[in-house]
Amino acid sequence: MYRRNTPAVLGKAATALAARPATTVRASANKIHTGIVRNGKSSQQKLHQALRGRLHQQARGFVGTHTPRAPDQASNEVEREAMDYDVVIVGGGPAGLSAAIRLKQLAAKQDAELNVVVIEKGGEIGAHTVSGACIETGPLEELFPDWKDLGAPLNQPALEDHMKYLTRTSAIPLPHPPQMNNTGNYIVSLSNVVKWLGEKAEELGVDVFPGTAASSVIYADDGSVRGIVTNDAGVDKNFKQKSSFTPGMELRGKLTLFAEGCHGSLTKGLIRKLKLRADDCFQTYGLGIKEVWEVDPAKHSPGKIVHTLGYPLDYQTYGGGFIYHMEENKVTLGLVVGLDYTNPYLSPYKEFQRFKAHPFVTNLLEGGRVLSYGARALVEGGLQSLPKL
């Protein structure tokens, strides 16, 4: 779900950045043809085009084979091509793409040039977004007030909410908490929403590079962040160069936004290095496991939302289940388990299987088929757990 305050926060950054001149792009002279006047606009376009082609070629050739850089491997051990941007965004999910879109929109209002790049480790935009969610439309309306006319893939409005307490064999109705009311929200395939946001970002002039993972952060001499280095390709399990070795590229930015998700590797390193998290500001996490099913049309209720408490989790374990009825006879269901559980034998995956075996869930799924499945970590700490900004 999008944060409502994201556009406002990014707006201040975009306002400051949009007034600055676009940075010229640098690249190794032996990689890009010589004789280019670096400060000429056409020269910048040629350099950007050549380096974009390099990134896309690397992404196509090594999708799914990215190897993380060894922790002690410095980014300057090999000669690297570089591209300079005003804003570098790591992560092509809802947050990263919304940030890129908002920045470009604000720059366009001021008739200013703002170079923005988004890199995403998934083979395509939306590939690493677990599908099936119920979202508010308010933040989307801030980005695109006419999102319906633009064809945003929000097709199924939320029509009814239910809360159930599950015992081993029964589903007991509970009063629905008003703070969980979904009136006006939409049940969506979040993967499709992210793909659509990626298309809109590119239409606004954002450079979007899927299949490109960030491996390390570039720091200036004063300790500030100057950008990121993309993954080297063609290294073995010991991080030694093979004959197919291709060095990653430096993407340098005046501002770098990290939108890697709740437990991103670069973000964790930044929090430790810059001491952004106080001793009393720790984060807590959950694990969400989700499947998308095509069910019997007779059992499908488009727009129906069900949240569950109780079984299969005991009273000492934080978590619960959910069932969202999407369009086209599709249902997304899942189980969230807090990762602070004390039972060492508890397996979130096995608990999800028990959840599906409950009569209330089994009756819905019987006669259907699984279309997709996935899992991801979730932050559960709330506002008090956000790191210092």
Side-chain angles (χ1 to χ4, degrees), residues 8-20 102-103 106-107 110 112 114:
V9 172
L10 292 172
K12 296 179 181 179
T15 301
L17 288 171
R20 303 181 184 179
R102 188 60 170 167
L103 288 165
L106 291 170
Q110 300 183 24
L114 191 72

Side-chain angles (χ1 to χ4, degrees), residues 45-91:
Q45 292 173 345
K46 291 178 182 178
L47 283 167
H48 269 89
Q49 185 177 4
L51 292 175
R52 286 193 194 104
R54 162 72 184 282
L55 272 175
H56 281 302
Q57 182 180 15
Q58 189 172 2
R60 287 195 303 269
F62 297 97
V63 168
T65 61
H66 292 299
T67 305
R69 188 188 314 280
D72 59 347
Q73 184 176 355
S75 63
N76 59 357
E77 287 183 357
V78 296
E79 185 179 9
R80 301 183 184 278
E81 296 167 352
M83 293 179 68
D84 284 2
Y85 285 89
D86 294 305
V87 183
V88 175
I89 300 176
V90 182

Side-chain angles (χ1 to χ4, degrees), residues 170-184:
S170 301
I172 303 172
L174 294 176
H176 196 269
Q179 66 270 25
M180 296 183 67
N181 181 22
N182 286 289
T183 300

Side-chain angles (χ1 to χ4, degrees), residues 318-371:
Y318 169 79
F322 60 89
I323 302 172
Y324 300 156
H325 289 248
M326 307 164 69
E327 72 271 21
E328 299 177 349
N329 300 321
K330 295 177 183 177
V331 171
T332 179
L333 72 156
L335 183 71
V336 175
V337 180
L339 292 181
D340 56 351
Y341 56 82
T342 58
N343 179 1
Y345 298 104
L346 187 148
S347 165
Y349 171 77
K350 291 182 179 179
E351 297 305 304
F352 181 50
Q353 305 310 311
R354 295 173 63 199
F355 172 75
K356 291 191 295 179
H358 189 279
F360 176 73
V361 183
T362 300
N363 290 338
L364 172 65
L365 301 181
E366 189 174 7
R369 64 189 182 99
V370 180
L371 300 178

